[in-house]
Amino acid sequence: MWRVMTQTDDNSMQPPLLDVRGLKKYFAVRGGWFGRVRAQVRALDGVSFTLHHGKTLGLVGESGCGKSTLGRALLHLQPPTAGEVLLNGVSIGANRRQLLLEERRQMQIIFQDPFASLSPRRTVAQIIREPLDIHNIGTAASRRGRVEELLSIVGMRTNALNRYPHEFSGGQRQRIGIARALALDPQFIVADEPVSALDVSVQSQVLNLISKLQRERGIAFLFISHDLAVIQHVSDEVGVMYLGKIVEQAPAADIYRAPRHPYTQALLSAIPVPDPQHKSRRIILRGDVPSPLNPPPGCAFHTRCPVAIERCRHIQPELKPAMAGSTHRVACHLAD
């Protein structure tokens, strides 16, 4: 009844699981007597990428750059303003509500705060069983068995079934959230900073659990995090976001070995090295992140970029291969 996949090593001949095309999400700012729209917050401003089966795209960037909004827009928890998201070639949310419900069986999310994302009024069994109830999968007995199986998968005992979220530690609550995300056996999971609220000792346990599930089940992940070391550990590809756009995307090894965008270089220079004899050159960015209410013309990063030229102030760079045939894409006039 429940699907178990093995991850393949070569996805080059397979169509992408997820194909995101020009995704935008604007939030209206209203004011005045009649609540008219006065401005638009451009949380996402034209994001495009593909994600293959069993792969992880790590997403990094400063707070407010649109990472979490992107994750929610992919799942239509926040319907996008423009653009398209295709799952296995089918446009998500393009048709009737029932179709969106069917598509959501293949897509789940692990939230950042494991306490706020679990209902305090429900037992662990009710929390994990809820997706099965909503989609009317199996009998009462089979659902009970599935819940017990999921708890075992995430490393918890069945004596937790009748307990409530407040009775568990942060790491255990996140394991419960992961079990709920696995209930429908999805093909794609958005992991929205799943370890940022956990102790360092617990973070590694949860990360290893996620990596194990991916290897065994072939699940694709969009992994959102501020921690560049975590992203390097879990990701096949890395996307760097700045002010609602992806400014660089490449295989993880390429990003960490030879970053092309000045913003990526500044982020990587801030990674601490556990060697007191090592002295790295820290790139300090000047100024603040521009407001998404009124982003600057040209390259959005030019107001803080240490190498910006006149062209950067007027012409917006496209996200394109750094060289012919390269999978390393960068939105910078000086990338070459």
Side-chain angles (χ1 to χ4, degrees):
M1 180 177 178
W2 312 109
R3 175 180 56 89
V4 176
M5 294 178 59
T6 56
Q7 181 176 341
T8 58
D9 295 326
D10 183 13
N11 287 300
S12 58
M13 301 303 293
Q14 299 180 4
L17 169 67
L18 197 70
D19 188 359
V20 182
R21 303 175 181 177
L23 201 65
K24 296 182 179 182
K25 178 59 181 179
Y26 296 169
F27 294 97
V29 177
R30 299 179 182 274
W33 289 100
F34 300 101
R36 294 176 179 174
V37 176
R38 296 299 182 90
Q40 298 276 2
V41 176
R42 301 182 181 184
L44 295 177
D45 200 12
V47 173
S48 299
F49 65 89
T50 58
L51 180 62
H52 286 271
H53 293 265
K55 296 297 183 181
T56 296
L57 173 63
L59 203 61
V60 298
E62 294 171 286
S63 295
C65 69
K67 303 186 300 298
S68 295
T69 301
L70 173 59
R72 286 165 168 75
L74 294 178
L75 275 60
H76 271 246
L77 297 178
Q78 294 175 336
T81 304
E84 191 175 25
V85 180
L86 284 80
L87 181 71
N88 289 319
V90 178
S91 182
I92 296 174
N95 298 308
R96 64 189 189 279
R97 181 176 179 179
Q98 180 61 31
L99 180 58
L100 179 58
L101 185 65
E102 294 170 2
E103 291 161 348
R104 280 183 170 158
R105 289 185 58 174
Q106 306 301 326
M107 307 180 295
Q108 293 295 314
I109 185 170
I110 303 170
F111 293 96
Q112 177 178 356
D113 187 342
F115 190 76
S117 64
L118 303 178
S119 172
R121 296 180 176 87
R122 288 173 174 260
T123 64
V124 169
Q126 291 171 330
I127 290 170
I128 299 176
R129 196 185 65 226
E130 184 177 17
L132 304 175
D133 294 338
I134 291 174
H135 291 270
N136 197 27
I137 295 176
T139 62
S142 66
R143 292 176 194 177
R144 172 80 180 191
R146 176 60 172 167
V147 170
E148 293 177 353
E149 177 192 0
L150 289 166
L151 274 181
S152 176
I153 288 172
V154 299
M156 294 187 67
R157 298 178 180 178
T158 55
N159 61 9
L161 286 173
N162 296 318
R163 296 163 64 187
Y164 291 85
H166 71 271
E167 300 180 63
F168 298 93
S169 67
Q172 290 173 319
R173 286 195 290 264
Q174 195 62 290
R175 289 174 185 268
I176 295 169
I178 294 172
R180 178 178 60 183
L182 292 173
L184 297 175
D185 210 8
Q187 297 182 36
F188 170 61
I189 293 178
V190 174
D192 187 4
E193 303 201 45
V195 297
S196 64
L198 307 179
D199 294 336
V200 175
S201 59
V202 181
Q203 287 184 11
S204 60
Q205 298 174 17
V206 174
L207 289 173
N208 290 335
L209 172 61
I210 291 175
S211 297
K212 177 185 176 184
L213 292 172
Q214 184 179 49
R215 289 194 306 270
E216 294 178 350
R217 296 170 176 268
I219 301 171
F221 281 87
L222 176 70
F223 197 101
I224 300 168
S225 179
H226 284 95
D227 192 327
L228 290 163
V230 168
I231 288 292
Q232 184 179 21
H233 176 70
V234 302
S235 302
D236 298 294
E237 285 199 16
V238 175
V240 181
M241 286 195 71
Y242 186 81
L243 211 64
K245 298 178 182 292
I246 292 181
V247 297
E248 187 166 9
Q249 183 181 347
D254 292 349
I255 283 277
Y256 285 85
R257 183 181 66 249
R260 297 280 190 140
H261 199 281
Y263 179 59
T264 309
Q265 294 168 1
L267 290 179
L268 293 179
S269 75
I271 299 178
V273 178
D275 182 358
Q277 304 300 322
H278 178 83
K279 294 184 178 180
S280 58
R281 186 178 68 89
R282 177 72 189 275
I283 301 174
I284 306 297
L285 297 178
R286 305 296 180 184
D288 298 322
V289 180
S291 170
L293 276 169
N294 186 27
C299 175
F301 186 61
H302 84 260
T303 59
R304 307 172 71 198
C305 181
V307 296
I309 59 177
E310 188 63 26
R311 184 182 183 189
C312 302
R313 296 176 174 85
H314 304 288
I315 302 176
Q316 181 175 304
E318 297 179 6
L319 184 65
K320 59 184 180 181
M323 59 184 68
S326 173
T327 57
H328 194 143
R329 300 191 301 157
V330 59
C332 180
H333 295 304
L334 304 176
D336 55 354

